Amino acid sequence: MEELSETAAANFESIERDLEQAWITHPEVPEAVRLQLAIAVAEVVGNIIEHGGGLHRPVHIQMQFTLSDHGQVQICFTDDGDELPANVDLSERAMPDESAEGGRGIALALAVLEQLSYHRDNAINCWTLLSRRFNPFHNPPESDSTAG
């Protein structure tokens, strides 16, 4: 991937801050789910920037975070970048071979998510990332510092 423009870097930083705020607001999301979503978010945003023209012109990305009562995080991205190339297959989970120069981002995102979808609505790209299910009511026991 080419060097990030100032706008692209700002997009990454903004989304990173938004995601950190979501974790503060929703401490019930397990660390494993947070890590999986961080991987998927980085890969999808990277694709938005790379394929949406964000390396060459400003692309505005917005993120919406939702936590369901049944234990799934949904993250939606909308952007005004170029349309996703028609040859990108969001159902392909296989990693390209090691000699391939690209194509790992979507495969990585698919590997850690329950679902990844994309559609274009007029001139807006819409991405939806859905985490694997978890128990939002389970709080791991705190370590007992008096045991010993």
Side-chain angles (χ1 to χ4, degrees):
M1 190 157 98
E2 297 176 37
E3 186 174 321
L4 291 179
S5 69
E6 193 173 307
T7 303
N11 274 324
F12 267 115
E13 290 170 9
S14 174
I15 287 164
E16 211 171 62
R17 282 192 308 272
D18 290 348
L19 202 52
E20 282 301 316
Q21 185 58 49
W23 301 146
I24 291 168
T25 306
H26 298 285
E28 65 274 29
V29 178
E31 186 65 26
V33 173
R34 293 175 186 212
L35 291 172
Q36 292 166 346
L37 284 167
I39 291 167
V41 164
E43 296 302 337
V44 169
V45 171
N47 271 286
I48 291 170
I49 291 169
E50 183 176 2
H51 298 294
L55 293 172
H56 309 290
R57 64 178 177 81
V59 172
H60 300 92
I61 303 171
Q62 293 185 341
M63 182 179 93
Q64 180 183 18
F65 180 101
T66 308
L67 175 61
S68 73
D69 291 339
H70 60 276
Q72 277 188 299
V73 173
Q74 178 177 299
I75 297 176
C76 297
F77 289 107
T78 55
D79 70 83
D80 61 355
D82 299 337
E83 187 170 6
L84 186 67
N87 65 344
V88 175
D89 182 4
L90 294 185
S91 66
E92 181 58 51
R93 291 184 179 260
M95 282 288 183
D97 69 40
E98 59 189 49
S99 64
E101 291 188 23
R104 290 176 184 80
I106 296 296
L108 275 172
L110 287 167
V112 297
L113 295 172
E114 182 166 311
Q115 182 179 340
L116 173 64
S117 62
Y118 165 85
H119 71 276
R120 183 136 168 118
D121 187 11
N122 294 320
I124 301 295
N125 296 307
C126 305
W127 294 83
T128 303
L129 292 69
L130 191 60
S131 76
R132 295 191 174 131
R133 291 184 191 274
F134 60 92
N135 183 349
F137 306 108
H138 172 71
N139 292 320
E142 293 184 26
S143 62
D144 185 357
S145 60
T146 61

